């Protein structure tokens, strides 16, 4: 199922779509109120069942620019602005938009049609407003800001009487500058806090003193811990923007030489969120392996199983997967005597949900259920959907790898970008949910700064708790000692 042009972005299931058709054959007519083809005629844009599926870059750019009688669909605006950066830098796209605006203004001025000129100017401002709100970072580039000023200056020339267009431009510019300042401050803060190692507390190579508190000494309620994990997830995922996710495509693209602006900056937000998953997994393994007594280790495992279950109920699948991954790490998984005392029925259910067979079919079904709950939610608690991030990234990667950016006729394969845009937009909808749970600074501080074991330290602690059982483990234990 593909994202179709409509007035608002659809909220569809993230269950992985059926594979896109390898070719886009057939040509339909643009729907009512839609613009026809570009400069080369209607053949420069191909429609199928009323849906735009391919076109030349020039025709797609022209389809973005309003006319007196036409305004592009909001879904198209988002999709094209998001995907165009794979082919053309945002400031170059803005320059082309400016050229098209000039051409249309000249035609309207030649006809002395003041009313139409004002209508056209208002539509251009609306397009720029949607652009600056959806992708403000595109305008951090000096060239883009210069182009924006040039376009708005031309537009205001027809607004001498009541100044409504000037007022709209002023409000848009002010909002853009505030958004850029906020993101810049956040970026500076991230750079200051950025650690060369993992974004986590110290990595230990040996056991800490026995007197040091563990997670149960900070929080013994699985639901409360799951809520605090959800707080951290939503805070971290909120720093990811649509253009960051488009890096997954633009970084892998071997055909197009263009790369998005600020690649290192953009990929950092993705890497930081991915690191959080790895750190949580290592923290879970550390908390289990550091416990000396088998009885207490059993309790720790059962506690984390309950936390993962509460994460599942909340809709926090990323933390749930991280916890399961931590318990499946070799130093924890090999503790057979400890696991024999654990009531594993709950854990078996969790593993069933995260079964990788059939492209994680069980997980995707659960995610679809959470998505549907979110769409009909009566409370903010029911709106929470936090997907497994590395699976989401793999979905985008898969979509990109199996479908070319260009068709044999040179057209951009826009059918592909409709689907990538749909998935990214849905992800962004989830990231904008406000966390309904009260923040507990003490618990969050522990989760974010508690020492974690290195891989070697995990194995040492594991072997000290339950000795090696086979030749391979004995060799490993000998090497570690």
């Amino acid at each position: 199922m593909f994202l179709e042009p409509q007035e608002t972005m659809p909220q569809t299931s993230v269950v992985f779509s059926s594979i896109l058709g390898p070719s886009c054959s057939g040509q339909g007519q643009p729907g009512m109120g839609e613009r026809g083809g570009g400069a080369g005629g209607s053949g420069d844009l191909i429609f199928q069942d009323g849906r735009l599926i391919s076109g030349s870059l020039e025709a797609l750019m022209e389809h973005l620019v309003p006319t007196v009688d036409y305004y592009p669909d909001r879904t198209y605006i988002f999709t094209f602005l998001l995907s165009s950066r794979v082919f053309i830098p945002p400031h170059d796209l803005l320059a082309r938009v400016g050229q098209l605006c000039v051409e249309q203004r000249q035609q309207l001025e030649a006809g002395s049609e003041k009313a139409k000129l004002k209508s056209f100017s208002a539509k251009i401002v609306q397009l720029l407003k949607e652009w600056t709100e959806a992708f403000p970072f595109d305008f951090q580039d000096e060239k883009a800001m210069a182009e924006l000023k040039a376009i708005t200056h031309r537009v205001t020339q027809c607004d001498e009487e009541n100044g409504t267009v000037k007022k709209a431009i002023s409000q848009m510019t002010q909002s853009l500058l505030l958004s850029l300042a906020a993101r810049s401050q956040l970026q500076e803060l991230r750079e200051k806090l950025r650690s060369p190692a993992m974004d986590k507390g110290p990595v230990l190579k040996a056991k800490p003193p026995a007197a040091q508190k563990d997670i149960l000494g900070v929080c013994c309620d699985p639901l409360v811990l799951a809520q605090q994990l959800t707080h951290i997830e939503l805070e971290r995922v909120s720093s990811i923007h649509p253009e960051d996710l488009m890096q997954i495509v633009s970084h892998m693209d071997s055909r197009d030489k263009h790369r998005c602006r600020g690649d290192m900056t953009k990929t950092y937000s993705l890497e930081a969120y991915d690191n959080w998953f790895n750190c949580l997994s290592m923290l879970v393994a550390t908390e289990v392996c550091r416990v000396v007594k088998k009885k207490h280790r059993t309790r720790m495992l059962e506690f984390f199983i309950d936390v993962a279950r509460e994460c599942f109920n909340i809709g926090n699948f990323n933390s749930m997967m991280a916890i399961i991954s931590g318990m499946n790490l070799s130093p924890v998984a090999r503790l057979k005597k400890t696991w024999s005392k654990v009531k594993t029925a709950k854990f078996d259910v969790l593993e069933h949900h995260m079964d990788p067979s059939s492209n994680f079919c069980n997980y995707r079904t659960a995610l679809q259920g959470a998505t549907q709950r979110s769409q009909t939610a009566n409370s903010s608690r029911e709106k929470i959907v936090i997907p497994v991030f590395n699976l989401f990234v793999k979905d985008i990667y898969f979509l990109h790898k199996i479908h070319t950016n260009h068709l044999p006729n040179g057209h951009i394969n826009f059918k592909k970008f409709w689907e990538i845009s749909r998935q990214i937009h849905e992800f962004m909808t989830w990231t904008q949910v406000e966390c309904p749970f009260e923040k507990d600074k003490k618990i969050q501080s522990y989760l974010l700064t508690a020492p974690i074991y290195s891989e070697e330290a995990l194995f040492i602690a594991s072997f000290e708790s339950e000795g090696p059982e086979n030749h391979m483990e004995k060799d490993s234990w000998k090497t570690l000692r």
Side-chain angles (χ1 to χ4, degrees):
M1 185 178 202
F2 301 104
L3 180 68
E4 296 195 19
Q6 54 187 52
E7 202 54 41
T8 57
M9 294 294 287
Q11 293 187 342
T12 48
S13 164
V14 83
V15 175
F16 196 56
S17 304
S18 56
I19 293 178
L20 308 179
S23 64
C24 300
S25 58
Q27 178 179 347
Q29 293 299 317
M32 290 297 293
E34 291 188 341
R35 189 172 185 161
S42 61
D44 281 353
L45 289 178
I46 304 299
F47 289 80
Q48 191 175 62
D49 299 325
R51 181 175 65 234
L52 177 60
I53 58 172
S54 75
S56 66
L57 179 59
E58 177 63 23
L60 292 169
M61 287 191 290
E62 291 189 10
H63 198 57
L64 176 71
V65 179
T67 66
V68 173
D69 304 314
Y70 161 81
Y71 189 80
D73 185 274
R74 291 187 66 199
T75 315
Y76 176 76
I77 293 173
F78 179 84
T79 301
F80 181 69
L81 290 177
L82 179 65
S83 57
S84 63
R85 63 200 65 236
V86 176
F87 309 99
I88 182 173
H91 63 82
D92 284 349
L93 174 60
L94 194 58
R96 182 62 185 130
V97 168
Q99 290 171 1
L100 291 167
C101 289
V102 169
E103 291 170 11
Q104 288 206 52
R105 274 183 58 83
Q106 289 172 344
Q107 290 176 8
L108 292 170
E109 286 170 349
S112 300
E113 299 182 82
K114 263 195 169 184
K116 288 186 177 181
L117 190 58
K118 281 191 176 183
S119 173
F120 170 69
S121 297
K123 288 179 179 178
I124 291 299
V125 174
Q126 177 61 25
L127 174 67
L128 294 174
K129 181 174 180 286
E130 291 195 43
W131 191 341
T132 56
E133 287 176 351
F135 304 100
F137 237 44
D138 287 354
F139 299 87
Q140 187 172 343
D141 188 299
E142 289 182 9
K143 292 179 182 178
M145 191 59 84
E147 290 293 346
L148 179 65
K149 288 178 180 177
I151 296 172
T152 54
H153 175 70
R154 294 187 202 110
V155 166
T156 53
Q157 290 175 353
C158 71
D159 190 42
E160 299 298 331
E161 293 175 18
N162 55 22
T164 53
V165 172
K166 283 184 180 178
K167 185 178 179 181
I169 289 171
S170 177
Q171 290 173 343
M172 175 191 74
T173 305
Q174 188 176 7
S175 297
L176 173 61
L177 293 175
L178 287 172
S179 183
L180 285 174
R183 288 201 192 184
S184 179
Q185 288 172 3
L186 184 61
Q187 186 179 318
E188 287 174 13
L189 180 63
R190 284 196 205 120
E191 287 301 321
K192 287 179 183 177
L193 298 175
R194 190 173 184 179
S195 166
M198 289 188 289
D199 183 15
K200 190 65 182 172
V203 178
L204 302 180
K205 294 183 179 180
K207 278 193 175 184
Q212 185 172 324
K213 63 185 176 183
D214 59 18
I215 187 69
L216 289 172
V218 178
C219 177
C220 59
D221 186 333
L223 175 58
V224 172
L225 190 64
Q227 290 174 346
Q228 295 309 305
L229 287 170
T230 303
H231 238 299
I232 294 171
E233 292 278 356
L234 288 172
E235 281 181 7
R236 298 202 165 208
V237 80
S238 67
S239 67
I240 296 174
H241 303 285
E243 60 268 36
D244 302 343
L245 295 167
M246 208 61 191
Q247 292 290 317
I248 300 165
V249 173
S250 59
H251 273 186
M252 295 182 299
D253 190 26
S254 58
R255 179 172 175 177
D256 298 293
K257 295 180 181 179
H258 167 63
R259 291 292 178 267
C260 299
R261 185 206 61 76
D263 285 345
M264 293 304 293
T265 303
K266 291 299 178 186
T267 55
Y268 172 63
S269 61
L270 305 182
E271 291 166 5
Y273 189 50
D274 189 50
N275 277 345
W276 155 247
F277 180 97
N278 297 330
C279 291
L280 179 55
S281 294
M282 293 296 282
L283 177 64
V284 169
T286 299
E287 293 290 330
V288 173
C289 289
R290 63 184 286 196
V291 180
V292 176
K293 293 184 179 180
K294 182 170 64 177
K295 180 181 178 182
H296 293 161
R297 275 198 309 278
T298 301
R299 185 187 172 204
M300 187 67 76
L301 279 171
E302 290 180 339
F303 173 71
F304 276 118
I305 290 169
D306 287 338
V307 173
R309 188 184 179 195
E310 293 296 349
C311 285
F312 177 84
N313 292 336
I314 289 171
N316 180 359
F317 299 104
N318 201 54
S319 288
M320 173 193 170
M321 179 66 103
I323 293 169
I324 293 173
S325 297
M327 290 190 284
N328 280 329
L329 289 174
S330 296
V332 179
R334 65 166 297 279
L335 298 172
K336 294 178 182 177
K337 293 176 183 176
T338 304
W339 279 102
S340 69
K341 301 295 182 180
V342 174
K343 297 172 184 176
T344 56
K346 294 176 186 175
F347 188 65
D348 292 341
V349 171
L350 293 173
E351 288 214 302
H352 171 75
H353 287 306
M354 293 300 167
D355 182 357
S357 62
S358 301
N359 193 21
F360 288 89
C361 178
N362 296 339
Y363 157 69
R364 295 181 189 283
T365 301
L367 183 62
Q368 184 178 23
T371 303
Q372 290 171 348
R373 179 185 68 182
S374 177
Q375 291 168 358
T376 58
N378 295 316
S379 70
S380 54
R381 293 190 177 209
E382 295 175 332
K383 290 182 180 178
I384 296 171
V385 182
I386 306 173
V388 179
F389 187 62
N390 59 9
L391 289 182
F392 172 79
V393 169
K394 284 177 182 176
D395 283 354
I396 301 296
Y397 173 85
F398 179 68
L399 263 175
H400 177 64
K401 292 300 285 185
I402 64 173
H403 304 291
T404 60
N405 288 343
H406 293 89
L407 300 175
N409 64 357
H411 276 196
I412 289 173
N413 182 7
F414 209 68
K415 196 175 184 182
K416 164 184 173 176
F417 290 103
W418 277 127
E419 178 61 11
I420 289 176
S421 171
R422 182 190 70 77
Q423 295 201 23
I424 288 177
H425 184 272
E426 186 167 46
F427 181 86
M428 297 312 301
T429 301
W430 296 330
T431 67
Q432 291 159 16
V433 173
E434 279 191 40
C435 188
F437 311 121
E438 189 176 343
K439 187 173 183 177
D440 189 311
K441 292 182 180 179
K442 184 180 177 183
I443 296 173
Q444 289 202 20
S445 176
Y446 186 89
L447 289 169
L448 294 169
T449 63
I452 56 175
Y453 284 174
S454 65
E455 191 176 350
E456 280 188 7
L458 281 175
F459 272 109
I460 290 171
S462 179
F463 285 133
E464 285 178 348
S465 297
E466 294 185 22
E469 292 190 348
N470 54 50
H471 290 300
M472 189 178 292
E473 286 192 347
K474 287 175 182 178
D475 288 343
S476 296
W477 181 223
K478 186 178 179 180
T479 303
L480 288 168
R481 284 193 301 178

